[in-house]
Amino acid sequence: MISIRDFSREELEYIFDVADEMESIYRSGTDVLRGKILASLFFEPSTRTRLSFETAMIKLGGGVVGFAEPDISSVKKGENLADTVRVVESYADVIVLRHPLEGAARLAAEYVNIPVINAGSGAEEHPTQALLDIYTIRRELGRVDSLNIGILGDLRYGRTVHSLCIGLTNYDVKLFLISPELLRLRREFLEEVKKKVEVVETDRLERVIDKLDVLYVTRIQKERFADLAEYEKVRGAYRVDLDILQRAKESLIVMHPLPRVEEIDPEVDYTPHARYFDQVRYGVLVRMSLLKLILSG
Amino acid sequence: MLSDSELKVRKIKDGTVIDHIPAGNALAVLKILNITGREGHTVSIVMNVSSKRLGLKDIVKIEGRELKPDEVNKIALIAPNATINIVRNYQVVEKKSVTLPSEIYDILSCPNPMCVTNANEPVTPRFYVDSESPLRLRCHYCGWFLEREDVLKQI
Ligand SMILES: [Zn+2]
């Protein structure tokens, strides 16, 4: 489980069907994975993703080992990733890996005989986030096909955006990519997406807000801008608040991979549009589904 | 009759002649082939000779060694129109064009500074050929694209 590209539509749907079944187990717990160990190796911090995987494993009756602080891990002693995963292979039945380098999960998977789940490597891939994002859409709107899906914010560096776009190309959707010029999706990446689905690029949310069924918001980071004044301009223009939502469809759902800073006004939390906290629960269901499918067939 | 290029460098008895190399790329071809001159073979390089097909071209002649298609094909990265002539007793006994392999190992590294192949890992960079013309390679690990300029920079 390295890249969202590894999944066909049928496989995605199967994972989602099993995730639906996990809803009741999520409340009561089960022991189908008793005796199985998940090693969560987080070479950079991501508390939410780590908690989500560990919760999923424990709900299924399995155990968890691992580390979340890179400075107490073997990395500080100069051990490479290939060695680390080969050591961990003796302890665990599945590895969940988060790593700052791109391609790290693929490399890890080549060195061990147990499954490796990519929990984010470098800027490009975060496949389980994409799974839970698409699952959220399916759960909340009953389908993914024929929806207008807007993705707003940092499309160039946003880790979750790339995997989400690729995942959505399995469906018959129309993508609205809404970002400042500087943070547009990379050209070669855009070409790949455009081959499969219709894409509209714009720098103005207000131009497309009334068409959207889903608005996926990502954070724009100050560090991306050489010119602070430019950032200040962009910051206001890509903020979702009650004002702009007045023009949206009543059924629009607003999603966000979290953590949110100020790109969604807290007032939006209390509208029927907000789904970002539901996404967190769906994330556990999807990861339970994956772990069950990987470890018990 | 001897052609212009053959006058400049004599015919070889046995070995390999790589012809139709884009002008100025002969040394890069030798580098890709890992031929340093320290192997003891006589190696002749002719640069910037006129050619009907290419305008100007380079030629490399390696005496006493027949290069195998596997080792030669990767020069297609920089010399896609090159022809390989195997010479025995002054006669060309085999003439082949080069074809780019679908995967490239060993000779290139990934230009993405955040790629795991550029860290302290025991791994050989690997690239898939996405497109031959224009040349576009893709890193097996991080997915970054390399274009012709990225390849030339490294050779
Ligand atoms: Zn790479």
Side-chain angles (χ1 to χ4, degrees), chain A residues 102, chain B residues 110-112 115-118 126-127 139-144:
Chain A
E102 283 159 34
Chain B
C110 184
N112 175 4
C115 179
V116 73
T117 61
N118 291 319
R126 230 166 102 189
F127 301 91
C139 174
H140 163 70
Y141 290 95
C142 75
W144 263 47

Side-chain angles (χ1 to χ4, degrees), chain A residues 78 80-82 86 100-104 106-107 110-111 124 186-188 191, chain B residues 112-117 119-123 126 136 140-142 144-145 147:
Chain A
N80 62 32
L81 176 62
R86 279 179 287 185
L101 293 178
E102 283 159 34
R106 194 169 293 282
L107 175 125
E110 287 172 354
Y111 277 90
E124 298 294 323
R186 264 177 257 265
R187 180 180 50 87
E188 66 268 19
E191 280 169 24
Chain B
N112 175 4
M114 290 303 285
C115 179
V116 73
T117 61
N120 176 34
E121 299 293 337
V123 64
R126 230 166 102 189
R136 192 157 84 164
H140 163 70
Y141 290 95
C142 75
W144 263 47
F145 292 113
E147 289 171 356

Side-chain angles (χ1 to χ4, degrees), chain A residues 18-240:
Chain A
V18 174
D20 285 341
E21 293 165 21
M22 292 295 135
E23 185 79 61
S24 60
I25 297 171
Y26 174 77
R27 282 188 292 269
S28 58
T30 175
D31 62 355
V32 285
L33 295 187
R34 191 168 53 200
K36 302 280 189 190
I37 303 281
L38 175 150
S40 76
L41 310 184
F42 277 62
F43 289 83
E44 61 176 17
S46 174
T47 309
R48 280 168 196 78
T49 305
R50 187 171 59 82
L51 290 181
S52 181
F53 270 109
E54 296 185 2
T55 303
M57 190 64 180
I58 292 165
K59 289 278 188 189
L60 290 166
V64 174
V65 298
F67 56 80
E69 288 295 328
D71 48 80
I72 58 156
S73 78
S74 51
V75 197
K76 275 276 146 114
K77 297 178 216 134
E79 186 178 66
N80 62 32
L81 176 62
D83 283 4
T84 304
V85 292
R86 279 179 287 185
V87 169
V88 168
E89 183 179 18
S90 300
Y91 307 137
D93 300 281
V94 58
I95 290 173
V96 173
L97 178 73
R98 171 79 157 217
H99 200 281
L101 293 178
E102 283 159 34
R106 194 169 293 282
L107 175 125
E110 287 172 354
Y111 277 90
V112 296
N113 292 311
I114 59 173
V116 174
I117 300 178
N118 184 2
S121 50
E124 298 294 323
E125 286 270 16
H126 195 353
T128 62
Q129 178 73 42
L131 289 181
L132 80 87
D133 291 337
I134 299 171
Y135 181 63
T136 301
I137 297 171
R138 189 178 104 146
R139 277 288 294 256
E140 291 297 327
L141 297 175
R143 66 181 198 285
V144 181
D145 284 324
S146 74
L147 294 178
N148 289 339
I149 298 175
I151 306 180
L152 174 83
D154 182 352
L155 311 187
R156 188 167 182 83
Y157 303 99
R159 175 184 243 153
T160 61
V161 169
H162 297 97
S163 289
L164 177 60
C165 286
I166 293 293
L168 286 172
T169 59
N170 286 292
Y171 294 87
D172 176 25
V173 295
K174 186 166 172 182
L175 285 182
F176 292 77
L177 303 177
I178 311 145
S179 73
E181 187 76 37
L182 189 65
L183 297 177
R184 282 195 182 179
L185 210 56
R186 264 177 257 265
R187 180 180 50 87
E188 66 268 19
F189 200 81
L190 180 66
E191 280 169 24
E192 183 183 353
V193 174
K194 270 184 168 167
K195 275 183 206 155
K196 308 244 181 69
V197 299
E198 195 182 340
V199 176
V200 176
E201 281 191 288
T202 176
D203 59 357
R204 307 277 291 276
L205 175 61
E206 64 270 23
R207 287 204 186 130
V208 296
I209 183 75
D210 57 325
K211 300 187 182 69
L212 301 179
D213 300 300
V214 176
L215 178 59
Y216 191 91
V217 184
T218 66
R219 176 147 54 107
I220 292 178
Q221 286 172 304
K222 208 193 317 202
E223 304 87 76
R224 306 294 181 210
F225 291 83
D227 179 2
L228 214 63
E230 187 63 25
Y231 166 72
E232 290 299 334
K233 260 201 294 190
V234 156
R235 185 165 110 168
Y238 294 87
R239 190 176 146 85
V240 177

Side-chain angles (χ1 to χ4, degrees), chain B:
Chain B
M1 236 186 65
L2 290 171
S3 74
D4 203 26
S5 60
E6 282 160 336
L7 278 171
K8 287 187 179 104
V9 178
R10 66 185 169 83
K11 279 195 156 189
I12 65 170
K13 182 168 183 282
D14 298 296
T16 309
V17 175
I18 306 174
D19 199 358
H20 298 112
I21 300 166
N25 283 285
L27 293 173
V29 163
L30 286 174
K31 189 160 181 213
I32 292 181
L33 293 172
N34 211 10
I35 292 172
T36 61
R38 289 189 290 274
E39 296 80 11
H41 304 286
T42 302
V43 178
S44 323
I45 300 166
V46 197
M47 297 178 90
N48 297 317
V49 296
S50 55
S51 149
K52 283 195 196 99
R53 263 162 66 192
L54 299 174
L56 287 176
K57 66 173 181 179
D58 289 2
I59 303 169
V60 168
K61 303 187 181 193
I62 303 143
E63 292 184 43
R65 187 170 160 203
E66 295 186 3
L67 294 172
K68 291 173 201 70
D70 276 3
E71 47 184 341
V72 179
N73 273 336
K74 52 191 176 187
I75 73 167
L77 282 174
I78 57 162
N81 299 311
T83 49
I84 311 299
N85 300 277
I86 303 295
V87 178
R88 284 178 202 152
N89 201 21
Y90 299 108
Q91 301 293 318
V92 174
V93 296
E94 206 179 325
K95 191 177 181 112
K96 276 209 195 94
S97 50
V98 292
T99 46
L100 198 60
S102 59
E103 282 184 37
I104 309 280
Y105 300 87
D106 301 333
I107 43 175
L108 297 172
S109 55
C110 184
N112 175 4
M114 290 303 285
C115 179
V116 73
T117 61
N118 291 319
N120 176 34
E121 299 293 337
V123 64
T124 313
R126 230 166 102 189
F127 301 91
Y128 301 109
V129 177
D130 253 21
S131 148
E132 283 194 40
S133 155
L135 183 68
R136 192 157 84 164
L137 309 176
R138 185 166 41 87
C139 174
H140 163 70
Y141 290 95
C142 75
W144 263 47
F145 292 113
L146 282 81
E147 289 171 356
R148 195 178 144 78
E149 303 84 83
D150 304 305
V151 172
L152 284 174
K153 251 183 250 162
Q154 292 189 37
I155 295 169

